Each structure stands twice: as structure tokens, then as C-alpha cells.
Amino acid sequence: MEHFIVSARKYRPQTFEEVVGQQAITNTLENAIKSNHLAQALLFTGPRGVGKTTCARILAKKINQNSSENLEDNDFAFNIFELDAASNNSVDDIRSLTDQVRIPPQTGKYKVYIIDEVHMLSASAFNAFLKTLEEPPAHAIFILATTEKHKIIPTILSRCQIFDFKRIGVLDAKKYLEKICIEENITAEDDALHIIAQKADGAMRDALSIFDRVVSFSGKELTRKAVTENLNVLDYDEYFKTTDLILENKIPEVLVHFNSILSKGFEGHHFISGLAAHFRDLLVAKDKITIDLLEVGDNAKKKYLIQSEKCDLRFLLQGIELANDCDLKYKASQNQRLLVELTLMQLSSITFDGEKKNNKPYIIASLHFNTGVVSKPIFIPKAEKKLAVISSIKKTETLKDEFIKPILRNTNRRTSSLSLNSINLKKELEIIEVEFEEVEGLPTDEFLENKAVHLWKQYAEKLEEQGKKSVASILNASKPNIKGNEFHFELPNTLMKDQLDRAKGPLLKYLRENLNNFKIDLVIDVNEEVTKKYAYTPQEKYEKLKEKNSALELLRKTFDLDI
């Protein structure tokens, strides 16, 4: 079995032309050698895996090659000295180095000293190195390499010619991987190599290590699917699908899709940060000037261009803002999944109402998903966001009532727990009062007055069957006067009006749903001159008797009697 050599060593560049993504630096070094303008102390700084040590070795060989006639016979290995400052960082190590510097080379013109990870030298070692670095012998050249320039003392920096190595671009890394695939007879999809280059995050050495790992996994054929599986990368198709569902305002489907992503082992934080980056790429793809900023494969670029045409600028800007806000709050959140789901619901609601002029987050009324009726959004206050989230992920049958927000109101009426009448009265008073928000765009069908009156009486009968006879008697007292979408109902006193007000919400809900008109409203008027005889409640009877004899109230209070 042949000994395996990792790609990072096997394909390490041997000339400046082979160095990836550092053309400015390699050209400068070559010109300096040709014109004999090379400084005696050089500092190569930049991120890991971008070619600092490689360029130092190439430069060390090139200096002596230009000064020798027999280029092929001499590799000048004895003229190149490498010191790892991470493990040789003491004063004694530097003193030993300075002693060697005085001896001239036996072959070639220069002795080159490459000190890697130079920032690891101790303060005393730096000070011992200062004089030699400032006035080295004519035959000595020092090349220092580091990833952390800020840790080097200023007196050393001032004595060096500094070269800043940049991160290697995704496209440059992908092209180099394509060359290696040709050398190794490996068939690779364009998107697969692009994902590897992206995952490397600007380090060519990391890209080659990832490449070796993926080849070991999938063999001689690299596919996008195999790469995403092996590297645990969320495939960009998932983001395209998520964005399509968001643009179609399909909140339930978006939540289900997010759940499927979580079931594959991905974190919500990874998903939401990736979604923000996806929106950024869509924004970049909208303009021909910025299209070059889209660092994706050719196949992916086509998809971005197609989907960017569906997205307007307002949606993308607001989407990036919401996704980034979720990203920032994720770690501090006690319920991280709920936070992401709420963000997805808000994203799905951005394009729902084209006439909306402010950028406040809101969520589409879930009634829209149950009936298919296209309605304008309900604006949900911050205090009620949790209710909206819970309502939106319940079963469809529960969803239809989300646009009604029940609020229990405590009554100030004094009742005794010993009286059966009092118990019945308590049950009637425990009616949920419903506050309706302004809902536009819901059905407003026309209806016949006879049908409306029939539903009114039918509702009164239902209340009576439920034991709520007091409210039923008020509804049966007279017939409502219908004017357009308003039901006008007259009552003789404010006591009856208050009691009907408490039962107004469920009544309106019943009428609106059965008449398919959500503009219906109930207007209760008090007319004390109404002479019709009503079926009085015990409370109303007591009020009438009290008007005739005021001593009755004193008697009730004295003996603590029930009404």
C-alpha cells in the first residue's frame, strides 16, 4: 500500500506562479529580487493557511538561484534555516541564532533565516534579537512569519518590511481545487467544490484538508449532496424553499419545514444566520453592479437571480433586519425555538399586505389559513405575541378564533355563595367579554333582515338551554332594529345594558360567522321611556322595589341578604 501524502503537502506551491490568491505580494517579491531591492528583514503577516511560510521558502530558494549559475544542481537547502518560535522562544535560542548568522554561506550568496510564529518569542528574546535584525551581515536575510502582528513589539516591526497576506477568495480556492481534481482524476460538481472553498473560510490549507476528507467519504465522484452531508452544511436549496414559502405567506408550511431542518440535526442559530446571509445574497443578485459580490457556484447563481426577481427591496431589507435581530437575541433567549418560529412568522407576513406603510413586525391572522379568505393583517401588540405564536401552531380548528382575543373581566357585584340564585347569577356573570380589533378585508356579505332576526332568537334559545336565562330574557324582550351592518337594540335601563355588554362578544361572533359578514356591530341604546313589559331579572325586580321604598336597601344591608 502506497504511503498517503495529504494534499496540503503534496500540492504545496514550489514557485511564485503557483501561489494562490497572493499575486500582489508574489509580484512585489519577484521584482525586488530582479532589481536587487530586497530588504534584509521581511515580515509576512496574515491569516492561517494563506501561504506565508510557503512564500518564505520559495523566496529563500529564489534568492540564491538568481546568484548561482548551476540552477538545477543546487537546491541551497543548507542555506535555509527554519526556526519555530513557538517551541524555541527563549533568549538562548535567539543567541544561538545570532552566533550562526556571523558565518557566511559556503555555497550561494545568502543565508536565509525563516522564523515562523515569531509573535511567540518572549520579550527578552525580542530584545536580544533587535541589534542583529537592525544591522545584519550582508549575507543574511531574515523572514519572519506570524498570524498575530499586534503581539510583536514595535521596535521589531519598525526594522522589517511588512507584507500583509490576504484571505484567499472563494473563486481562487475553487479554481485550485479544480486543478487538483484533474491531477487526481476526480470528477467533481462545481457546487461541491464551491461549498468546500466556502467552508475553508479563506484558508487554502483548510480547503485542501476538507477536500481530502470529502474524497475519503465519497471516492472519485464529488457531489454537492455528499459534500453537504459530510461537512454538516445546510444545503442552500433549503433556504430557497424557505424563502419561497415565506414569499407565499404560508406560515404553517414554513414552521413544518423548519421542524424538518431541526430533525436533521441542524441548530436554529445556524439556520437563522444562514437565512440572513441568503437574503443578503438575494439583495446582491438584484443589481448587475453588485452581482460580482455573489460568491456562489454557477448553478446557484442562476437560482439566486431567478428568486431575486420575486423579492422586492422592502422585503429583503426588512427580512435581513428581522433575521439579524433574531441572530443577536438567540443565545440570550430562554426559548430559542420559539424565537426562530416567531421570526419566521413575521417574515412570512411582510409581503402579505402591499399597502402597509410601516415596518412594525406583525403576524397574519390565522383565520386566513382556515377559510382561505384573503384578509389584511391584524397588528399584534408585543404583550400578545406569545398568544399569537401559540395560536398559530395549534390545529386548524383552534386557529379560526385567533382574531378574537378573550379577556376575563371581574365583576364588582356582591354575591353570596350560599344561595342557588346567586350561583346561577355568578355563572351568567362569568361571560367572556371579547375585544375586537379592527379587521379589514374579511367577508362582508349582504344578508336578509328576517334571517338576522331568526339567528338572534336562535342564539337567545341557546343561552337559555345553557342556563343563562337572564341574558336570554333580555334578547327576547324585543326585536333588534337592523340598519346596514348595525344591530340597534333598545333597553330601558343601564343595568340591562351592562349585562348585555358583557355578553356582546360571543353574540357578535355568532352573528358574524353565520351571516358571513364581519362588519356587523351591536349598538345598545338606553331608553328609560320604553313602556313595554320585560321579563325582569331578580336584580331588576329589586331595583324597581327599591325605587318605591328606599328602606329596602337598609333592610338588605342590615341582615346581609341576597337579592
Side-chain angles (χ1 to χ4, degrees):
M1 186 169 116
E2 255 184 68
H3 178 65
F4 175 71
I5 302 174
V6 295
S7 297
R9 287 180 56 200
K10 187 176 181 180
Y11 294 100
R12 183 188 285 271
Q14 300 301 315
T15 63
F16 282 132
E17 289 76 14
E18 295 176 5
V19 176
V20 181
Q22 309 294 347
Q23 283 76 18
I25 291 174
T26 55
N27 290 341
T28 303
L29 292 174
E30 280 191 303
N31 291 334
I33 293 169
K34 288 176 184 176
S35 58
N36 199 24
H37 279 185
L38 191 66
Q40 285 193 279
L42 308 173
L43 175 64
F44 291 173
T45 178
R48 58 185 172 76
V50 294
K52 299 185 295 296
T53 306
T54 299
C55 284
R57 289 176 180 176
I58 295 171
L59 178 63
K61 288 180 181 179
K62 191 125 182 133
I63 293 169
N64 284 313
Q65 281 176 354
N66 285 8
S67 62
S68 175
E69 296 177 359
N70 302 320
L71 299 179
E72 295 180 1
D73 297 337
N74 299 321
D75 61 1
F76 305 104
F78 293 106
N79 288 23
I80 302 171
F81 302 88
E82 283 196 43
L83 178 70
D84 180 19
S87 54
N88 302 282
N89 54 9
S90 65
V91 179
D92 293 336
D93 294 319
I94 295 300
R95 283 175 179 167
S96 174
L97 180 78
T98 55
D99 289 340
Q100 293 176 23
V101 168
R102 298 172 187 172
I103 304 169
Q106 293 182 3
T107 60
K109 189 176 179 181
Y110 296 101
K111 289 177 75 173
V112 183
Y113 294 86
I114 301 172
I115 304 177
D116 208 359
E117 304 297 337
V118 70
H119 65 275
M120 299 290 285
L121 289 177
S122 62
S124 54
F126 271 129
N127 291 328
F129 190 40
L130 277 175
K131 190 65 177 175
T132 305
L133 195 66
E134 185 175 14
E135 297 176 359
H139 59 265
I141 292 179
F142 294 96
I143 304 175
L144 315 180
T146 180
T147 54
E148 300 181 51
K149 184 175 71 172
H150 60 280
K151 290 186 178 180
I152 300 175
I153 59 175
T155 47
I156 293 287
L157 292 176
S158 64
R159 289 164 168 80
C160 297
Q161 192 175 83
I162 300 172
F163 291 87
D164 285 303
F165 283 68
K166 64 181 181 180
R167 303 170 77 86
I168 296 171
V170 174
L171 296 178
D172 289 335
K174 189 181 78 170
K175 287 178 182 177
Y176 195 69
L177 291 174
E178 286 173 353
K179 290 180 182 178
I180 295 174
C181 286
I182 294 169
E183 291 285 335
E184 297 289 334
N185 295 319
I186 294 172
T187 305
E189 291 182 4
D190 183 71
D191 288 343
L193 295 180
H194 194 91
I195 292 169
I196 294 172
Q198 276 187 319
K199 188 75 174 176
D201 196 25
M204 195 65 233
R205 184 169 61 236
D206 289 355
L208 293 170
S209 298
I210 294 169
F211 177 78
D212 286 344
R213 189 173 111 196
V214 175
V215 169
S216 299
F217 172 75
S218 58
K220 294 289 184 178
E221 289 188 8
L222 294 187
T223 62
R224 188 190 65 184
K225 185 178 179 182
V227 171
T228 52
E229 277 182 30
N230 186 259
L231 300 182
N232 196 32
V233 174
L234 191 55
D235 195 351
Y236 59 73
D237 277 345
E238 301 289 354
Y239 292 118
F240 280 113
K241 185 177 179 181
T242 302
T243 306
D244 283 334
L245 292 172
I246 287 172
L247 290 170
E248 293 168 10
N249 314 120
K250 294 181 177 178
I251 288 178
E253 287 85 348
V254 169
L255 296 179
V256 170
H257 182 59
F258 174 57
N259 183 66
S260 69
I261 290 171
L262 293 179
S263 66
K264 293 176 184 176
F266 294 101
E267 289 188 0
H269 198 188
H270 177 60
F271 169 77
I272 202 68
S273 61
L275 188 61
H278 181 74
F279 288 153
R280 176 262 178 195
D281 289 340
L282 288 173
L283 188 64
V284 165
K286 287 189 74 68
D287 198 313
K288 291 180 180 178
I289 298 173
T290 56
I291 195 74
D292 292 335
L293 300 176
L294 200 63
E295 293 185 338
V296 294
D298 294 335
N299 294 332
K301 187 175 286 188
K302 291 176 184 176
K303 290 186 177 182
Y304 273 106
L305 290 171
I306 292 169
Q307 193 170 73
S308 66
E309 293 176 0
K310 301 178 187 176
C311 308
D312 62 7
L313 193 61
R314 171 178 160 268
F315 165 76
L316 292 174
L317 292 174
Q318 198 170 344
I320 291 170
E321 184 181 356
L322 285 170
N324 280 338
D325 186 55
C326 178
D327 188 10
L328 292 171
K329 294 177 180 175
Y330 189 87
K331 287 186 179 178
S333 175
Q334 295 295 321
N335 193 338
Q336 295 172 335
R337 175 168 181 164
L338 181 63
L339 177 68
V340 178
E341 287 176 337
L342 178 59
T343 302
L344 289 173
M345 294 167 74
Q346 291 172 345
L347 288 169
S348 301
S349 304
I350 294 174
T351 60
F352 188 65
D353 179 19
E355 297 176 4
K356 184 175 178 291
K357 294 181 181 177
N358 59 50
N359 290 326
K360 292 181 181 178
Y362 66 96
I363 297 171
I364 303 169
S366 55
L367 180 69
H368 167 73
F369 305 109
N370 187 37
T371 62
V373 177
V374 179
S375 60
K376 290 189 179 179
I378 298 172
F379 292 91
I380 301 177
K382 288 182 180 177
E384 296 176 6
K385 281 183 179 178
K386 188 174 180 181
L387 174 63
V389 174
I390 295 169
S391 301
S392 296
I393 58 177
K394 285 183 180 177
K395 292 182 180 179
T396 309
E397 186 61 29
T398 309
L399 286 171
K400 67 179 182 180
D401 296 327
E402 187 207 49
F403 71 100
I404 297 174
K405 295 181 175 55
I407 299 171
L408 289 173
R409 175 176 291 182
N410 294 325
T411 178
N412 294 323
R413 297 192 60 181
R414 188 178 174 209
T415 57
S416 170
S417 59
L418 301 176
S419 169
L420 289 174
N421 290 334
S422 298
I423 292 170
N424 291 332
L425 180 60
K426 279 184 179 181
K427 286 182 180 179
E428 290 194 35
L429 291 175
E430 287 174 359
I431 296 173
I432 295 175
E433 179 178 344
V434 179
E435 293 181 0
F436 288 90
E437 295 182 354
E438 187 65 27
V439 181
E440 298 180 0
L442 292 174
T444 55
D445 295 355
E446 294 183 2
F447 55 87
L448 296 174
E449 185 174 348
N450 292 340
K451 185 179 179 181
V453 173
H454 174 71
L455 287 171
W456 180 281
K457 291 181 180 178
Q458 196 176 53
Y459 183 75
E461 290 172 5
K462 285 188 176 184
L463 288 180
E464 198 165 354
E465 289 172 4
Q466 295 170 7
K468 299 173 182 176
K469 296 182 180 180
S470 177
V471 180
S473 65
I474 294 174
L475 295 177
N476 286 326
S478 65
K479 188 174 71 171
N481 182 19
I482 300 171
K483 298 178 182 178
N485 292 326
E486 291 183 346
F487 282 58
H488 290 266
F489 195 65
E490 282 193 347
L491 291 173
N493 56 59
T494 55
L495 185 66
M496 295 176 73
K497 179 181 182 297
D498 291 341
Q499 197 167 352
L500 186 56
D501 272 335
R502 283 191 290 271
K504 178 180 176 181
L507 171 61
L508 278 177
K509 181 178 180 294
Y510 182 82
L511 293 172
R512 288 178 176 182
E513 287 183 351
N514 284 280
L515 295 173
N516 202 30
N517 186 324
F518 288 82
K519 286 286 187 180
I520 289 174
D521 198 9
L522 176 61
V523 180
I524 305 172
D525 300 316
V526 177
N527 186 359
E528 295 180 356
E529 295 181 0
V530 175
T531 56
K532 277 193 173 185
K533 294 182 179 180
Y534 292 91
Y536 290 114
T537 64
Q539 175 70 25
E540 292 165 353
K541 289 177 183 177
Y542 173 74
E543 294 294 335
K544 287 290 182 183
L545 291 172
K546 192 173 70 172
E547 287 176 9
K548 294 180 180 179
N549 188 349
S550 58
L552 191 62
E553 177 67 13
L554 179 63
L555 178 68
R556 187 187 71 78
K557 288 182 178 178
T558 303
F559 293 99
D560 194 22
L561 299 174
D562 293 330
I563 298 171

